[in-house]
Amino acid sequence: MAVPDPGPGPGLDPDPDPGPDPGRDPGARRWLSSRASAPRVCVVGSGPAGFYTAQHLLKHHDLAQVDIYEKLPVPFGLVRFGVAPDHPEVKSYGAEDNRILGIPGENLPGVYSARAFVGWYNGLPENRDLNPDLSCETALILGHGNVALDIARILLSPLDLLRKTDITDCSLAALACSKVKRVWLAGRRGPLQVAFTIKELREMINLPGTQPVLNPADFTGLENAVKDAPRPRKRLTELMIKTALQKPGEMAAQAAAARQWGLKFQRSPQEVLPTADGRRARGVRMALTRLEGSGESAKAIPTGDVEELECGLVLSSIGYRSLPLDPAVPFDTQRGIIPNSMGRVEGAPGLYCSGWVKRGPTGVIITTMNDSFDTAQSVLEDLRGGMLDVSVSREGFGAVGSILRSRGVRPVSFSDWEKIDAAEVARGKAAGKPREKIVDPQEMLQLIGH
């Protein structure tokens, strides 16, 4: 699903600000200015949450004017940078950091966060120089979510499939030289708690030239356990059981499979183990766990037993987290969100939040869409109820633009973005791809004459 693009027409300022403060968290909404009859709203961040919030405001308030600001020279956030390039229909982000493992050795070469790795193959400028070492045969992904499956699929996909996507040239070249032929995905809990969805699992199971390796013992008794579970969970578990019980080579996709992937359950990382010279990762020591409770609330408790899994590439896919916006904006460091009620920031009238900084890094694009509509609805209700001061007329981007010019900052306009977009599409067409992303912001700026 693509994010709606309202274009630079009424309501969307044609000169989004790349932002003097790169540490800002996308998703915060500030009521900057308004006229009594034409409220003016500023949206910080041009990802799905920002655009959906703007869309709802413009749709339900005829006179609303919305300025969208973005720190990068290109818009659309996770739609552009966040999800596997072979899934353009689900590209769905707002959290600027990743959760750390908090274990010894996680800073060794060969260990990467999922966020950085995804950013690398999607052309996110800050991750363009990641240069991951893919010279090992076995990779371990810590996490059982859709992002974990995305990464596994990218690592194991035939190059012919990837060449048809907008994956960056440098990452495609690195994957062409990759020695990775086995990928394990490990999680602290069991099969009934995996966070990926059936569509992503089925695609992974049917990946050409790749064999799924699931241990039937991990699924003992689960057929009865999911009889009364919600239908999506039941179907997902049944597919895993069916795959675990299949004999090698039974599926067409597995014929002459040169690569493998598998799921490991009830394993929690304790330490990333270094090579003898201490220069890179060689494996991970895992604590075996048991589950207390059932369903989504089940907790993983260490049993005291451990095992070592040899791998030269470790990818941490245990979730994203938001960062504090500004000392003046309240922030819950424990939950990684801005404290709010229906998007209204606590103790800060006129300030709203949407997306992952509002609810935490969960859900898919439709979740973000509905969440953003709820925040926009709160703004509309506060407007109608007289909760916002609309008595003073302010200039909105006119004032901000003057400040930027006084600082020597030249914003990238929406029409500038269209030039970048056209150049990327033209480069992609020459290579038989949807687009070839420009990953260097300076090259983007040169292209538009900045």
Side-chain angles (χ1 to χ4, degrees), residues 85-130:
D86 58 343
H87 276 190
E89 76 286 357
V90 295
K91 284 180 177 282
S92 127
Y93 181 77
E96 291 194 279
D97 203 1
N98 54 277
R99 291 177 181 165
I100 63 169
L101 293 168
I103 60 175
E106 71 174 301
N107 294 320
L108 283 169
V111 183
Y112 309 92
S113 73
R115 182 183 184 276
F117 195 77
V118 170
W120 169 70
Y121 62 61
N122 268 323
L124 184 62
E126 67 187 69
N127 300 128
R128 68 184 187 275
D129 298 322
L130 188 70

Side-chain angles (χ1 to χ4, degrees), residues 156 179-182 208-211 253-261:
L156 297 175
K179 299 292 192 294
V180 176
K181 62 180 182 181
R182 188 179 306 106
T210 306
Q211 178 186 348
Q254 300 169 16
R259 300 179 173 188
Q260 294 181 328
W261 69 274

Side-chain angles (χ1 to χ4, degrees), residues 7 43 58 109 138 146 175 192 221 227 229 265 272 283 323 391 398 412 439:
V43 173
L58 295 169
T138 302
N146 279 341
L175 289 166
L192 295 182
K227 277 185 178 178
F265 301 103
V272 179
L323 297 173
S391 62
V412 174
V439 298

Side-chain angles (χ1 to χ4, degrees), residues 138-414:
T138 302
L140 172 64
I141 302 173
L142 299 170
H144 278 166
N146 279 341
V147 173
L149 280 186
D150 280 347
I151 292 172
R153 194 178 62 255
I154 293 297
L155 284 170
L156 297 175
S157 283
L159 289 176
D160 285 347
L161 294 182
L162 293 180
R163 286 193 183 101
K164 300 172 184 175
T165 73
D166 68 355
I167 192 169
T168 63
D169 265 356
C170 67
S171 49
L172 186 62
L175 289 166
C177 299
S178 170
K179 299 292 192 294
V180 176
K181 62 180 182 181
R182 188 179 306 106
V183 177
W184 297 112
L185 299 95
R188 294 178 299 111
R189 301 192 294 171
L192 295 182
Q193 290 80 36
V194 296
F196 50 73
T197 50
I198 192 167
K199 176 183 180 296
E200 280 69 25
L201 176 64
R202 186 180 291 113
E203 188 173 4
M204 196 71 203
I205 290 170
N206 294 324
L207 192 64
T210 306
Q211 178 186 348
V213 180
L214 277 66
N215 185 352
D218 289 332
F219 302 92
T220 302
L222 292 192
E223 286 174 314
N224 289 329
V226 295
K227 277 185 178 178
D228 299 321
R231 188 168 181 267
R233 175 66 65 183
K234 182 180 179 183
R235 291 177 61 232
L236 178 64
T237 306
E238 288 173 346
L239 180 57
M240 285 190 285
I241 294 171
K242 177 183 176 183
T243 304
L245 296 177
Q246 276 180 328
K247 296 176 182 178
E250 281 187 350
M251 299 180 69
Q254 300 169 16
R259 300 179 173 188
Q260 294 181 328
W261 69 274
L263 301 171
K264 291 186 176 292
F265 301 103
Q266 294 180 232
R267 285 164 171 81
S268 179
Q270 277 192 330
E271 179 183 2
V272 179
L273 305 170
T275 52
D277 59 11
R279 297 179 65 178
R280 59 169 293 106
R282 68 164 178 84
V284 177
R285 179 177 292 118
M286 313 285 284
L288 274 60
T289 67
R290 59 182 175 83
L291 297 184
E292 283 190 0
S294 59
E296 298 299 322
S297 61
K299 294 186 177 180
I301 310 297
T303 63
D305 294 329
V306 298
E307 71 175 18
E308 293 185 3
L309 197 153
E310 295 293 319
C311 56
L313 175 64
V314 182
L315 293 146
S316 169
S317 184
I318 58 172
Y320 296 89
R321 69 185 181 96
S322 296
L323 297 173
L325 177 65
D326 182 273
V329 179
F331 190 78
D332 184 336
T333 54
Q334 196 72 26
R335 299 170 63 197
I337 63 169
I338 292 176
N340 70 92
S341 175
M342 293 296 290
R344 299 176 178 93
V345 176
E346 293 179 6
L351 182 64
Y352 301 82
C353 58
S354 182
W356 284 3
V357 78
K358 172 186 174 184
R359 71 177 188 275
T362 59
V364 292
I365 189 115
I366 195 167
T367 320
T368 296
M369 180 182 73
N370 290 325
D371 174 88
S372 302
F373 290 170
D374 287 343
T375 291
Q377 195 60 36
S378 293
V379 176
L380 293 169
E381 289 173 6
D382 291 352
L383 274 171
R384 296 189 194 107
M387 305 297 291
L388 298 170
D389 180 8
V390 296
S391 62
V392 180
S393 177
R394 299 188 179 95
E395 296 182 58
F397 182 74
V400 175
S402 297
I403 294 171
L404 293 175
R405 284 190 293 273
S406 72
R407 297 178 180 177
V409 177
R410 184 177 174 186
V412 174
S413 68
F414 196 88

Side-chain angles (χ1 to χ4, degrees), residues 35-56:
R35 302 187 207 102
S37 59
R40 191 151 191 170
V41 179
C42 166
V43 173
V44 180
S46 69
F51 267 97
Y52 280 128
T53 302
Q55 180 196 41
H56 193 81

